[in-house]
């Protein structure tokens, strides 16, 4: 019997790094090493020193290998999936010049508005890049840096995304993939390459950016001697291009050209996202028209306020996060950090419909409802972008795959089920971002199409399936009415 071989899929998220030690043949998750990150900043600022990510990756890999009990010699490949959109600026020696601006740093909202206007409006951006710039996107952060920290911008020799930075540390090669690149707003999903006009407009050159590999599973190099020493792994193992966290989650679910297409996914984490893998190039200004990691497209809508915002409301009320009931007349839009979808970067939370008999449990339930509503409302737009009719009974009956930390919470699951009226599938495979990265690593190590790899691994997954319940249209319409009427005068639209 041949010796067991494993790959390591790394999920470098906003709050922590996870390293999933995964059997290359079966997809069995043998161990997960973890290490925390430090996020700094007040108001709209959210930053992390990129070196924190590298140290956390080293610690997480060491912890995962130790937990697995396997020899480092069993590892044949590694890939990184990282939080999207972060701006990493490096000097000529490849060292970070300053802390990275994270995806949820909203200081670049004015720069986003200016870029939209300069190109001729949202439709022009959708036609070129697939995505309209908002404060989350990397291009807006680069312009913010040039305007607010010109000395570091001038000293910048290379620009990277978080996962690019880590991949380069692993392989010594400046590489990215179409999926993560498509979240910059300087990569064109229409041409599948960097857009030279947009780069000139932003004051960037192609030489400052990583080369775009064909897919996230493409082998872009081998683990260098120095990285191998830092990680305790064999030098020379395969390093995949890797991708962004949402693209990796799609791979982990088996969504893509060699798996499921047009099946929506709702991820409940620090952010709330809804996405699907599609062969149709998205053309909606309401969505981020990303590329997938495998050559498909990944239309996606993302909200800034999800599980952390609701947990904050629970803390303010002195309640456990599951000590909630439906909100009744109360509507709470928990936009505590500004909002990306809808594009309200300067907004704050809004509570209305408060009565003498409103209970703390109802207020918490209203926070769940407001957060879930915000991301679910983008679902119809997502389906349209995939070329589907949301009113078609067959389309409306397709299950919604629920992932992320919130998918393990009873109240989150029931709130989404009640407001969507859809059947839900909660995948049995844990750590989907890391699992997707492991599939990319397996692909780079010679395992074939990464989506096909993940789909094969998922055949043994024990998913939880919940039937549809009657949709709570009364609550849905109440929240929608409040949001539509309040966005301009009260939410900073």
């Amino acid at each position: 019997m041949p010796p067991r071989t494993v790959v390591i899929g790394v999920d470098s998220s906003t709050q922590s790094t996870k390293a999933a030690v995964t059997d290359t043949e079966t997809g069995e998750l043998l161990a997960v090493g973890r290490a925390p990150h430090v996020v700094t900043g007040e108001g709209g600022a959210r930053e992390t020193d990129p070196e924190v990510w590298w140290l956390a990756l080293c610690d997480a890999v060491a912890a995962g290998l130790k937990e697995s009990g396997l020899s480092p010699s069993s590892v044949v490949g590694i890939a990184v999936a990282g939080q999207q959109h972060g701006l990493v600026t490096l000097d000529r020696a490849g060292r970070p010049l300053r802390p990275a601006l994270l995806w949820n740093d909203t200081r670049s909202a004015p720069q986003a508005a200016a870029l939209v206007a300069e190109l001729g409006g949202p439709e022009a951006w959708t036609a070129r890049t697939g995505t309209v710039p908002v404060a989350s996107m990397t291009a807006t952060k680069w312009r913010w840096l040039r305007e607010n920290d010109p000395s570091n911008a001038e000293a910048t020799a290379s620009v990277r995304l978080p996962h690019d930075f880590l991949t380069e540390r692993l392989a010594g090669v400046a590489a990215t993939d179409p999926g993560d690149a498509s979240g910059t707003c300087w990569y064109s999903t229409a041409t599948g390459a960097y857009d030279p006009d947009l780069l000139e407009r932003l004051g960037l050159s192609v030489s400052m950016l990583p080369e775009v590999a064909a897919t996230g599973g493409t082998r872009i190099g081998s683990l260098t001697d120095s990285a191998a020493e830092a990680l305790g792994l064999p030098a020379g193992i395969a390093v995949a291009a890797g991708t962004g966290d949402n693209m990796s989650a799609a791979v982990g679910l088996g969504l893509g050209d060699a798996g499921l297409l047009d099946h929506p996914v709702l991820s409940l984490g620090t952010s709330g996202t809804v996405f699907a893998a599609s062969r149709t190039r998205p053309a909606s200004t309401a969505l981020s028209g990303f590329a997938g990691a495998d050559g498909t497209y990944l239309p996606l809508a993302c909200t800034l306020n999800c599980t952390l915002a609701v947990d904050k409301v629970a803390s303010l009320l002195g309640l456990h996060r599951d000590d909630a009931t439906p909100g009744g007349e109360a509507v709470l839009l928990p936009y505590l950090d500004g909002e990306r979808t809808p594009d309200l970067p300067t907004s704050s939370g809004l509570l209305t419909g408060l009565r003498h008999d409103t209970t703390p449990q109802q207020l918490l339930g209203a926070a769940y409802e407001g957060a879930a509503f915000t991301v679910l409302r983008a679902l119809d737009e997502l389906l349209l972008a995939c070329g589907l009719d949301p009113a078609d009974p067959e389309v409306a009956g397709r299950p919604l795959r629920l992932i992320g930390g919130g998918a393990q919470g009873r109240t989150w699951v029931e709130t989404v089920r009640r407001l969507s009226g859809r059947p839900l599938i909660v995948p049995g495979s844990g750590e989907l971002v890391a699992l997707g990265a492991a599939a990319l690593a397996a692909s780079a190590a010679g395992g074939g199409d990464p989506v096909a790899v993940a789909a094969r691994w998922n055949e043994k997954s024990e998913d939880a399936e919940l039937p549809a319940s009657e949709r709570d249209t009364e609550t849905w319409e109440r929240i929608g009415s409040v949001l539509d009427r309040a966005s301009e005068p009260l939410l900073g639209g």
Side-chain angles (χ1 to χ4, degrees):
M1 184 175 179
R4 168 177 266 176
T5 60
V6 298
V7 288
I8 296 178
V10 177
D11 171 10
S12 180
S13 68
T14 313
Q15 304 290 334
S16 67
T17 292
K18 301 172 186 175
V21 181
T22 308
D23 189 290
T24 55
E25 180 59 31
T26 66
E28 181 184 357
L29 192 61
L30 302 174
V32 180
R34 294 174 170 82
H37 298 169
V38 176
V39 178
T40 61
E42 297 179 350
R46 296 291 184 274
E47 298 183 342
T48 295
D49 180 354
E51 296 292 353
V52 168
W53 300 331
W54 174 247
L55 294 174
L57 190 157
C58 294
D59 290 345
V61 167
L65 273 177
K66 181 178 180 180
E67 182 184 337
S68 74
L70 296 172
S71 166
S73 63
S74 63
V75 181
V76 296
I78 188 170
V80 177
Q83 55 177 305
Q84 289 187 254
H85 311 310
L87 176 67
V88 181
T89 52
L90 307 177
D91 64 16
R92 296 189 181 281
R95 295 185 299 262
L97 286 162
R98 67 180 313 282
L101 277 68
L102 305 185
W103 64 275
N104 53 351
D105 188 310
T106 58
R107 288 175 290 177
S108 59
Q111 288 73 24
L115 284 170
V116 172
E118 286 175 18
L119 202 63
E123 291 77 11
W125 281 94
T126 298
R128 294 274 282 276
T129 70
T131 301
V132 181
V134 294
S136 297
M137 303 300 170
T138 322
T140 73
K141 300 179 190 304
W142 172 248
R143 176 164 284 191
W144 181 92
L145 192 71
R146 294 187 75 197
E147 294 177 2
N148 292 274
D149 189 1
S151 60
N152 274 324
E154 183 66 26
T156 298
S158 302
V159 171
R160 300 287 184 265
L161 296 167
H163 115 262
D164 306 340
F165 170 76
L166 293 171
T167 300
E168 190 168 4
R169 282 288 176 92
L170 294 173
V173 175
T176 190
D177 85 303
D180 215 7
S182 67
T184 59
C185 279
W186 58 61
Y187 174 91
S188 172
T189 55
T191 64
Y194 294 126
D195 188 309
D197 175 63
L198 294 179
L199 291 179
E200 182 178 1
R201 187 181 298 274
L202 292 162
L204 286 169
S205 65
V206 172
S207 64
M208 298 171 70
L209 303 176
E211 184 175 347
V212 183
T215 73
T218 300
R219 180 170 183 163
I220 53 90
S222 303
L223 193 67
T224 66
D225 290 341
S226 59
E229 182 178 359
L231 295 170
L233 296 177
I237 64 171
V239 177
T243 192
D245 51 4
N246 290 299
M247 295 78 192
S248 188
V251 172
L253 286 164
L255 272 64
D257 207 42
L260 290 169
L261 285 162
D262 304 331
H263 281 249
V265 177
L266 196 158
S267 176
L268 299 168
T270 303
S271 62
T273 58
V274 59
F275 61 86
S278 174
R279 292 193 184 100
T280 303
R281 181 176 179 268
S284 169
T285 58
L287 299 173
S288 297
F290 296 143
D294 71 331
T296 55
Y297 296 100
L298 198 76
L300 178 150
C302 177
T303 68
L304 293 183
N305 300 277
C306 195
T307 58
L308 289 183
V310 172
D311 284 352
K312 178 62 175 180
V313 174
S315 175
L316 290 172
L317 294 169
L319 298 175
H320 184 273
R321 62 173 57 127
D322 279 326
D323 191 10
T325 61
E329 292 185 57
V331 172
L332 203 170
L333 300 175
Y335 300 167
L336 308 187
D337 291 317
E339 191 44 78
R340 169 174 166 176
T341 305
D343 184 18
L344 299 166
T346 62
S347 65
S348 57
L350 177 66
L351 171 63
T352 187
L354 197 63
R355 300 290 186 183
H356 277 290
D357 59 354
T358 303
T359 68
Q361 289 76 18
Q362 285 178 314
L363 289 181
L364 181 55
Y368 276 101
E369 291 168 351
F373 171 90
T374 302
V375 66
L376 281 171
R377 194 159 79 154
L379 182 58
D380 285 353
E381 193 71 33
L382 172 79
L383 294 169
L384 288 169
C386 294
L388 302 171
D389 179 5
D392 183 329
E394 190 275 329
V395 174
R398 292 186 184 182
L400 184 60
R401 284 169 168 76
L402 201 61
I403 66 172
Q408 307 306 313
R410 172 180 55 82
T411 305
W412 275 114
V413 171
E414 288 306 313
T415 303
V416 170
R417 186 165 170 247
R418 177 165 55 89
L419 291 182
S420 70
R422 286 176 170 270
L424 301 183
I425 293 177
V426 181
S429 300
E431 308 297 350
L432 284 165
V433 173
L435 184 66
L440 297 176
S443 177
D449 183 281
V451 173
V453 168
R456 174 170 55 82
W457 288 351
N458 287 339
E459 289 176 359
K460 298 181 180 179
S461 174
E462 295 183 2
D463 300 340
E465 300 185 19
L466 302 173
S469 62
E470 183 177 356
R471 192 175 191 184
D472 184 352
T473 56
E474 181 180 350
T475 297
W476 181 270
E477 291 170 359
R478 182 171 59 253
I479 299 172
S481 176
V482 169
L483 177 57
D484 292 339
R485 287 184 289 113
S487 59
E488 289 295 332
L490 292 177
L491 288 170

